[in-house]
Amino acid sequence: MNKTQVNKAPSFVVAEHPCSLLTIPPFPALSGRAYVRDKVCQEYRMLGKENFRTLTIIANSRKYSNGTFEEIGHLVREIVSLAETCCADGADPACYDAGSTALSEKSCSADSPFPAHPGTAECCAQQGLERKLCLAALRHPPQPLARYLQPSDTELCHAFRRDPRQFADRFLYEYSSSYSQAPLPVLLSSTRTFLSMVSTCCISPAPIACFLKEKLERKTLSLLTLMSNRMCSRFSAYGKDKVTSSYLTSLAQKVPTASFEDLLPLAEDAAEVSSQCCDSVAEDCMQKKLLEHTAKVCTALSARDGRFANCCKGKNLMENLFCMLALPPAPAAELPEAPEPTSKELCGKEGALHASRSLFELARRHPSLPDAVLAKLYDSSQKLRGECCSSKDPSACLDSKRKRMEAELSPLLEKASQLCSQYTKLPYLEFKKRLRESLRQAEPEVSPAALEQLLEQRASFASSCCLPDAPPLLCASKVSSELGEACKREPCLLG
């Protein structure tokens, strides 16, 4: 069997078709019931049953990324059955609406086989179209860390030969739920080429050479999937303004000698890429915009920083971007003391810009400070400006609250910087050994069991949150937990 023949196998190859970039709604998601039915039926007829089924697995594995394989399977069977029955020639026009109503009723039953969601009960308290709209809007948060681990080539082929359809279904579920924030076109392309690779190489007379060749061809797409999933996870968690601040502080830590004016346009451009492409169904949006962004970063920073220059030497721009994103913070630079913005500046028309500059100055002087802590400072800064700039005396309000915040901030910055600095420089066992000793000295009265618990808590934070690709929601939770402990003693502005 040649590769062209394999690509025609409908049970495990995603069709390359513009309509396959639409998501499949399990319930009518728009007020025009006929419009939704027509859209789904057009998709079903254009793709055919098997490719429609494949796309439904991907779309719902993304949406319910914490659902089990069995739960996604139940939902997919119901959606495909609904389309098969109600999109047939001569089907009753009311068939789709009645079927989707039955599906929403099943979702609301006590023994529902579909993925659980904390918002389901609230949706099920509603009736009719409102219930369907509510259920259609539910989505699981992204997984903190991608759980898909690619098996060895031998294991892939063994599973493929045993049951090609089951292999494809499980791969689509595991990969799509792990990279649920990657744009749908990127995910479709990545899964399609992976399954094509497996089905080609597992029947090849030279599988080792085949896999090597195919993996090299997929490298750019694999990197695009990984990076776009990380970027869109951060964009989903932070929103455009906060993600701009996140990119700005990250660049400030990597190139502390660069100016605010040099780095802000690059941060804004990265945020704009996410804004335009994370939810886009345009096939090449993310790849095209990321390549343009990479060229801008290389142009701006290659002459300024040797590490960026090395990353920009490669011919593959996607590899160059991956190299830059993976760069650790630079050593702390000798910088003069940064001026503090005045209350007039913070509360003026360009108050947000002055607040961003202040965070930029902090980040470039604390290169080991993790993104999650800087993100918390961004939130606190926004809250401070919101409260004080609308008060009767903004200047007095800002002065008072900033002094309190600085007092709370100092130990947090020192603790987080030291923790992440040691984590990135030391082997893990040595890191834990030193951390245990420093905790024992800082907390001499703590019991051995409590000390071990604190050690694991700090080590968990470091291993999850001190790296450039730290999961934003998980790390925000860990920072809030740490602040919560500190704020039990007295109210905190940062808490």
mmCIF file of all heavy atoms in Angstrom, residues 314-330:
data_model
loop_
_atom_site.group_PDB
_atom_site.id
_atom_site.type_symbol
_atom_site.label_atom_id
_atom_site.label_comp_id
_atom_site.label_asym_id
_atom_site.label_seq_id
_atom_site.Cartn_x
_atom_site.Cartn_y
_atom_site.Cartn_z
ATOM 1 N N GLY A 314 19.671 30.125 12.235
ATOM 2 C CA GLY A 314 19.096 28.980 11.514
ATOM 3 C C GLY A 314 18.228 29.387 10.337
ATOM 4 O O GLY A 314 17.703 30.501 10.275
ATOM 5 N N LYS A 315 18.047 28.442 9.403
ATOM 6 C CA LYS A 315 17.224 28.698 8.220
ATOM 7 C C LYS A 315 15.735 28.455 8.509
ATOM 8 O O LYS A 315 14.877 28.975 7.807
ATOM 9 C CB LYS A 315 17.687 27.809 7.059
ATOM 10 C CG LYS A 315 19.087 28.163 6.551
ATOM 11 C CD LYS A 315 19.498 27.270 5.392
ATOM 12 C CE LYS A 315 20.897 27.634 4.893
ATOM 13 N NZ LYS A 315 21.329 26.741 3.785
ATOM 14 N N ASN A 316 15.450 27.633 9.526
ATOM 15 C CA ASN A 316 14.065 27.330 9.877
ATOM 16 C C ASN A 316 13.585 28.331 10.936
ATOM 17 O O ASN A 316 13.998 28.275 12.090
ATOM 18 C CB ASN A 316 13.963 25.888 10.408
ATOM 19 C CG ASN A 316 12.525 25.462 10.655
ATOM 20 O OD1 ASN A 316 11.710 26.221 11.163
ATOM 21 N ND2 ASN A 316 12.222 24.220 10.303
ATOM 22 N N LEU A 317 12.732 29.258 10.541
ATOM 23 C CA LEU A 317 12.308 30.317 11.460
ATOM 24 C C LEU A 317 11.549 29.778 12.668
ATOM 25 O O LEU A 317 11.619 30.357 13.756
ATOM 26 C CB LEU A 317 11.441 31.344 10.720
ATOM 27 C CG LEU A 317 12.166 32.239 9.714
ATOM 28 C CD1 LEU A 317 11.184 33.203 9.052
ATOM 29 C CD2 LEU A 317 13.278 33.034 10.381
ATOM 30 N N MET A 318 10.810 28.679 12.498
ATOM 31 C CA MET A 318 10.070 28.113 13.630
ATOM 32 C C MET A 318 11.043 27.566 14.671
ATOM 33 O O MET A 318 10.824 27.721 15.875
ATOM 34 C CB MET A 318 9.127 27.015 13.138
ATOM 35 C CG MET A 318 7.951 26.745 14.064
ATOM 36 S SD MET A 318 6.875 28.175 14.294
ATOM 37 C CE MET A 318 6.169 28.337 12.672
ATOM 38 N N GLU A 319 12.124 26.948 14.227
ATOM 39 C CA GLU A 319 13.160 26.476 15.151
ATOM 40 C C GLU A 319 13.852 27.658 15.820
ATOM 41 O O GLU A 319 14.209 27.595 17.007
ATOM 42 C CB GLU A 319 14.177 25.600 14.418
ATOM 43 C CG GLU A 319 13.616 24.250 13.978
ATOM 44 C CD GLU A 319 14.672 23.396 13.287
ATOM 45 O OE1 GLU A 319 15.868 23.533 13.606
ATOM 46 O OE2 GLU A 319 14.291 22.591 12.420
ATOM 47 N N ASN A 320 14.034 28.722 15.072
ATOM 48 C CA ASN A 320 14.659 29.930 15.640
ATOM 49 C C ASN A 320 13.801 30.495 16.768
ATOM 50 O O ASN A 320 14.305 30.886 17.827
ATOM 51 C CB ASN A 320 14.836 31.000 14.562
ATOM 52 C CG ASN A 320 15.806 30.574 13.469
ATOM 53 O OD1 ASN A 320 16.420 29.514 13.557
ATOM 54 N ND2 ASN A 320 15.941 31.405 12.442
ATOM 55 N N LEU A 321 12.490 30.544 16.548
ATOM 56 C CA LEU A 321 11.583 31.065 17.577
ATOM 57 C C LEU A 321 11.587 30.164 18.809
ATOM 58 O O LEU A 321 11.618 30.651 19.947
ATOM 59 C CB LEU A 321 10.161 31.189 17.020
ATOM 60 C CG LEU A 321 9.104 31.704 17.995
ATOM 61 C CD1 LEU A 321 9.453 33.105 18.509
ATOM 62 C CD2 LEU A 321 7.722 31.715 17.348
ATOM 63 N N PHE A 322 11.560 28.869 18.594
ATOM 64 C CA PHE A 322 11.600 27.920 19.710
ATOM 65 C C PHE A 322 12.870 28.128 20.530
ATOM 66 O O PHE A 322 12.839 28.104 21.766
ATOM 67 C CB PHE A 322 11.533 26.481 19.180
ATOM 68 C CG PHE A 322 11.475 25.439 20.261
ATOM 69 C CD1 PHE A 322 10.301 25.213 20.951
ATOM 70 C CD2 PHE A 322 12.603 24.701 20.585
ATOM 71 C CE1 PHE A 322 10.240 24.255 21.954
ATOM 72 C CE2 PHE A 322 12.555 23.744 21.584
ATOM 73 C CZ PHE A 322 11.368 23.512 22.267
ATOM 74 N N CYS A 323 13.976 28.348 19.840
ATOM 75 C CA CYS A 323 15.265 28.608 20.502
ATOM 76 C C CYS A 323 15.178 29.863 21.376
ATOM 77 O O CYS A 323 15.604 29.861 22.537
ATOM 78 C CB CYS A 323 16.348 28.759 19.438
ATOM 79 S SG CYS A 323 17.970 29.287 20.052
ATOM 80 N N MET A 324 14.573 30.929 20.847
ATOM 81 C CA MET A 324 14.480 32.189 21.599
ATOM 82 C C MET A 324 13.560 32.066 22.809
ATOM 83 O O MET A 324 13.858 32.590 23.886
ATOM 84 C CB MET A 324 14.006 33.311 20.673
ATOM 85 C CG MET A 324 15.046 33.729 19.651
ATOM 86 S SD MET A 324 14.562 35.170 18.672
ATOM 87 C CE MET A 324 13.396 34.454 17.521
ATOM 88 N N LEU A 325 12.435 31.376 22.621
ATOM 89 C CA LEU A 325 11.495 31.213 23.730
ATOM 90 C C LEU A 325 12.098 30.381 24.857
ATOM 91 O O LEU A 325 11.743 30.550 26.029
ATOM 92 C CB LEU A 325 10.196 30.562 23.238
ATOM 93 C CG LEU A 325 9.326 31.412 22.307
ATOM 94 C CD1 LEU A 325 8.136 30.598 21.806
ATOM 95 C CD2 LEU A 325 8.841 32.672 23.012
ATOM 96 N N ALA A 326 12.996 29.456 24.499
ATOM 97 C CA ALA A 326 13.604 28.574 25.502
ATOM 98 C C ALA A 326 14.806 29.198 26.207
ATOM 99 O O ALA A 326 15.332 28.613 27.165
ATOM 100 C CB ALA A 326 14.021 27.263 24.836
ATOM 101 N N LEU A 327 15.241 30.372 25.772
ATOM 102 C CA LEU A 327 16.403 31.010 26.410
ATOM 103 C C LEU A 327 16.109 31.309 27.884
ATOM 104 O O LEU A 327 15.054 31.854 28.213
ATOM 105 C CB LEU A 327 16.754 32.323 25.704
ATOM 106 C CG LEU A 327 17.408 32.249 24.326
ATOM 107 C CD1 LEU A 327 17.540 33.645 23.738
ATOM 108 C CD2 LEU A 327 18.770 31.570 24.412
ATOM 109 N N PRO A 328 17.041 30.976 28.778
ATOM 110 C CA PRO A 328 16.856 31.336 30.191
ATOM 111 C C PRO A 328 17.117 32.829 30.387
ATOM 112 O O PRO A 328 17.689 33.490 29.514
ATOM 113 C CB PRO A 328 17.905 30.499 30.909
ATOM 114 C CG PRO A 328 18.985 30.295 29.890
ATOM 115 C CD PRO A 328 18.296 30.233 28.554
ATOM 116 N N PRO A 329 16.725 33.387 31.519
ATOM 117 C CA PRO A 329 17.017 34.802 31.801
ATOM 118 C C PRO A 329 18.521 35.053 31.804
ATOM 119 O O PRO A 329 19.314 34.155 32.106
ATOM 120 C CB PRO A 329 16.423 35.021 33.195
ATOM 121 C CG PRO A 329 15.417 33.933 33.364
ATOM 122 C CD PRO A 329 15.935 32.757 32.597
ATOM 123 N N ALA A 330 18.897 36.258 31.445
ATOM 124 C CA ALA A 330 20.318 36.643 31.467
ATOM 125 C C ALA A 330 20.733 36.923 32.913
ATOM 126 O O ALA A 330 19.878 37.163 33.783
ATOM 127 C CB ALA A 330 20.514 37.884 30.617
#
